[in-house]
Amino acid sequence: MKSLKIAVPLLLLFACYYLIPVEFRYLWQPDETRYAEISREMLASGNWVVPHFLDLRYFEKPVAGYWINNLGQWLFADSNFAVRFGALFSTILTALLVYWLTWRMQRERQTALVAAVIYLSCLEVYGIGTYAVLDPMITLWLIAAMCSFWLAAQATSVRAKAAGYLLLGLVCGMGFMTKGFLALAVPVLAVLPWVIQQRRWRELLLFGPLAIVGAVVISLPWALAIARQEPDFWHYFFWVEHIQRFAQADAQHKAPFWYYLPVLLAGSLPWLGLLPGALWRGWRQRLQDNGSLYLLGWVLMPLLFFSVAKGKLLTYILPCFAPLAILMAVYVCQAREGTARALRANGWINLLFGVVCLLAVLLILAPWSLTGHPVYGVHELTRVLLAAGIFLFWALMGGLSLYATPRRWPLAVLCPLGLALLVGQAIPQRVENAKQPQAFITAVRNELASSRYILADSPGVAAALAWEMKRSDINLFEESGELAYGLRYPDARSRLIDAAAFPGWLAQQRHSGSVALVLLLDRDDEGGPASLPEADVVYRQGRFMLYHYNQQP
């Protein structure tokens, strides 16, 4: 009965965070629309070896992440929930692994449960775990790798150790097929401090080859298959997607070395107050409790690795939040000194965070903005009130956790609940009409459906058009973006239409059908390009603009 009383609220909480809201939020471009369309095309074509995007070769990522996304679309059709199912599925499995590893280390089920809850409610985990990208999937495999290594290291028989290392290789191989060679490098870096302190070099060298065998066994069939179908895949994927992105001066998403520090702090909300004490306790216990050093190395080494890399995205350090959740759970459940102060500090942080964000909404983002640069329009009072309510609720939960703190500190888990349930309805229209194309596409669906040719000036918008209209023959207008490599192939060059050549191309193609051109305008652009031929229908919604040209005889 006691277990049921705990399980039912947790399931309801999980549903409110991860299951109910995601269907009612529009997809974001370019990320979510891209991954939705790649998986749709894979299912439609039956080619589960080579990823294609708008029927173009797309070599930026391997294939296993799309397989998981395919499962969502196969089960739930073409809903927004289906698109995000891969991220949700991976995140809940990762939370179960966090529970399992905490229990293996501490042999305390309450601590394990708290670790899983902290993990699922961290802002970084929740934000990425309900967003259709591949990072929750690679996180799943990386955390599975760390669990496998711990299982092997704690085994007392040769057979059990061998099985653990083989399992380690299998999950690393799946990680490699999800996002590349980082899945092989990051676990090695993460365990190094523990291996050195425990003097486990001999064991690692003896059983490590089994992990290599496991990784090869699971990934080699696909690696050979894609090399046979697309011989230049590995050249592009290794040199461009790994060496250039992470090491060269012109790497994508460049950011300073300290970039991940504020990401780590903000991503730890609503548990930020526990972070300093948890890290300090882990450091003090590193010699007495070898699990503490294992977890600290798991946090620090990937963090340093990604900080040194030239290219940075906030999603890269998602795997660091699993050991942080365990460290915080152990601290709050088992520490004696300083815990009460940390719990009160956590309540104050949540209270102040909610109040500051509430004031930012009402004084800066609202139509009556004191800065003179509002984000919400004068007609969006309901959205302003919803956004204010999100952070008022956050502050309220933080404030309530300050009273009778030893009993009420778990209320912090409710702080992001308003955000989870209402954020889709609180997003300003100017953001929606620039980053979420689905509403615009719905408004012009008749014109799009009647068009023989559809063009878009960005891959993200093109992906949204392809996903919504269930057709992958969307052409690119002027900008190739991430599809530049795929467009270099001789059979794909006609898919990119230059602006200067567009009038001539249009005059020719209108004889065989109508043409729709969708543009994503710049923020300060009052209208579309003046050089475009006059259209029969022009429609604008925010920064999205449609030019529709009827068929001519």
Side-chain angles (χ1 to χ4, degrees):
M1 183 63 69
K2 183 178 179 180
S3 299
L4 186 62
K5 288 182 178 179
I6 296 175
V8 171
L10 287 178
L11 289 175
L12 289 174
L13 191 64
F14 175 75
C16 290
Y17 272 106
Y18 283 90
L19 299 182
I20 296 173
V22 295
E23 170 62 24
F24 305 103
R25 301 176 192 162
Y26 289 132
L27 300 181
W28 292 76
Q29 66 89 16
D31 294 324
E32 292 195 302
T33 56
R34 176 203 304 125
Y35 292 119
E37 177 58 18
I38 292 172
S39 292
R40 188 196 70 80
E41 291 182 31
M42 187 171 284
L43 281 171
S45 68
N47 183 349
W48 289 53
V49 175
V50 183
H52 285 80
F53 182 17
L54 304 179
D55 281 340
L56 303 171
R57 298 167 181 85
Y58 190 73
F59 294 165
E60 289 207 0
K61 300 292 185 294
V63 76
Y66 307 129
W67 291 348
I68 299 176
N69 282 339
N70 292 353
L71 179 63
Q73 294 190 25
W74 179 67
L75 290 172
F76 304 105
D78 57 354
S79 62
N80 291 348
F81 180 85
V83 174
R84 294 166 173 143
F85 174 80
L88 300 175
F89 178 71
S90 301
T91 302
I92 186 59
L93 288 184
T94 301
L96 292 175
L97 289 175
V98 169
Y99 177 92
W100 177 88
L101 183 59
T102 309
W103 181 80
R104 291 282 300 193
M105 286 183 166
Q106 302 297 324
R107 300 293 177 177
E108 173 57 54
R109 295 195 182 277
Q110 181 184 0
T111 305
L113 184 61
V114 170
V117 170
I118 288 177
Y119 178 78
L120 285 172
S121 55
C122 278
L123 203 56
E124 170 101 350
V125 175
Y126 170 74
I128 302 173
T130 55
Y131 188 68
V133 287
L134 301 183
D135 298 275
M137 301 165 204
I138 185 61
T139 297
L140 168 64
W141 300 123
L142 290 176
I143 293 176
M146 297 301 291
C147 290
S148 300
F149 185 84
W150 184 259
L151 181 66
Q154 302 304 309
T156 56
S157 68
V158 172
R159 178 178 296 181
K161 283 188 179 294
Y165 274 92
L166 187 60
L167 179 61
L168 169 64
L170 292 174
V171 295
C172 284
M174 288 303 299
F176 166 72
M177 288 199 296
T178 299
K179 217 170 180 184
F181 295 95
L182 287 176
L184 308 178
V186 171
V188 174
L189 290 172
V191 302
L192 273 180
W194 186 85
V195 169
I196 293 172
Q197 194 269 340
Q198 294 287 307
R199 295 184 174 89
R200 295 289 189 104
W201 288 107
R202 181 181 177 186
E203 177 183 312
L204 185 63
L205 294 174
L206 181 63
F207 291 97
L210 285 174
I212 297 173
V213 170
V216 170
V217 165
I218 201 165
S219 60
L220 187 61
W222 170 76
L224 294 176
I226 197 168
R228 183 168 60 250
Q229 293 190 32
E230 298 293 344
D232 62 335
F233 172 85
W234 289 111
H235 173 267
Y236 174 85
F237 183 66
F238 179 76
W239 288 107
V240 176
E241 286 301 307
H242 284 78
I243 303 302
Q244 181 175 331
R245 172 167 290 191
F246 288 97
Q248 293 186 3
D250 60 346
Q252 294 180 340
H253 313 298
K254 288 194 293 183
F257 178 84
W258 49 264
Y259 172 84
Y260 287 117
L261 180 58
V263 173
L264 191 71
L265 297 178
S268 298
L269 288 167
W271 307 105
L272 179 58
L274 306 181
L275 186 60
L279 293 174
W280 177 240
R281 182 184 186 278
W283 176 253
R284 287 193 306 167
Q285 296 292 320
R286 69 191 185 280
L287 299 180
Q288 294 89 344
D289 177 10
N290 60 16
S292 295
L293 182 62
Y294 190 78
L295 296 171
L296 288 173
W298 184 354
V299 174
L300 181 61
M301 298 303 287
L303 192 63
L304 287 175
F305 174 76
F306 288 116
S307 296
V308 170
K310 298 290 185 180
K312 296 179 177 68
L313 284 175
L314 61 88
T315 56
Y316 291 170
I317 64 165
L318 180 59
C320 296
F321 283 85
L324 284 176
I326 299 174
L327 287 167
M328 286 191 281
V330 172
Y331 174 63
V332 76
C333 292
Q334 299 182 14
R336 296 286 189 272
E337 300 177 3
T339 306
R341 290 195 302 271
L343 291 173
R344 288 192 61 80
N346 194 61
W348 278 109
I349 289 172
N350 285 316
L351 174 61
L352 293 174
F353 176 79
V355 169
V356 169
C357 291
L358 173 63
L359 293 176
V361 169
L362 295 177
L363 302 180
I364 299 176
L365 305 182
W368 50 85
S369 171
L370 298 180
T371 65
H373 300 284
V375 175
Y376 288 97
V378 293
H379 60 288
E380 296 184 271
L381 180 59
T382 300
R383 299 189 185 217
V384 173
L385 293 178
L386 287 174
I390 286 171
F391 296 111
L392 178 62
F393 184 80
W394 192 306
L396 180 62
M397 292 299 103
L400 288 176
S401 70
L402 289 171
Y403 294 95
T405 301
R407 289 189 297 106
R408 293 186 176 180
W409 67 266
L411 286 175
V413 75
L414 298 178
C415 286
L417 185 58
L419 182 69
L421 293 173
L422 300 176
V423 66
Q425 292 71 45
I427 293 173
Q429 282 189 356
R430 65 183 296 180
V431 176
E432 181 181 292
N433 291 332
K435 302 298 292 182
Q436 298 179 319
Q438 284 177 297
F440 169 79
I441 294 172
T442 300
V444 298
R445 185 174 293 276
N446 290 337
E447 288 79 6
L448 295 171
S450 65
S451 298
R452 171 66 180 84
Y453 303 97
I454 301 178
L455 300 88
D457 66 342
S458 74
V461 176
L465 292 166
W467 166 255
E468 289 293 322
M469 305 308 298
K470 301 298 177 278
R471 52 185 290 185
S472 54
D473 60 341
I474 312 299
N475 293 315
L476 276 300
F477 175 76
E478 187 69 12
E479 295 292 335
S480 58
E482 63 196 271
L483 291 168
Y485 188 82
L487 288 164
R488 294 176 189 173
Y489 286 85
D491 60 351
R493 290 173 184 166
S494 63
R495 300 287 303 281
L496 177 63
I497 314 301
D498 184 79
F502 178 70
W505 179 91
L506 175 66
Q508 181 179 0
Q509 303 304 331
R510 290 179 79 176
H511 294 302
S512 57
S514 59
V515 177
L517 171 62
V518 177
L519 303 179
L520 177 60
L521 304 178
D522 294 332
R523 289 186 179 87
D524 55 352
D525 198 340
E526 295 297 329
S531 60
L532 288 176
E534 184 177 356
D536 297 291
V537 176
V538 178
Y539 177 80
R540 179 170 182 175
Q541 184 172 307
R543 288 172 56 193
F544 296 116
M545 196 161 190
L546 168 73
Y547 291 82
H548 189 262
Y549 301 89
N550 294 335
Q551 183 177 3
Q552 291 182 343

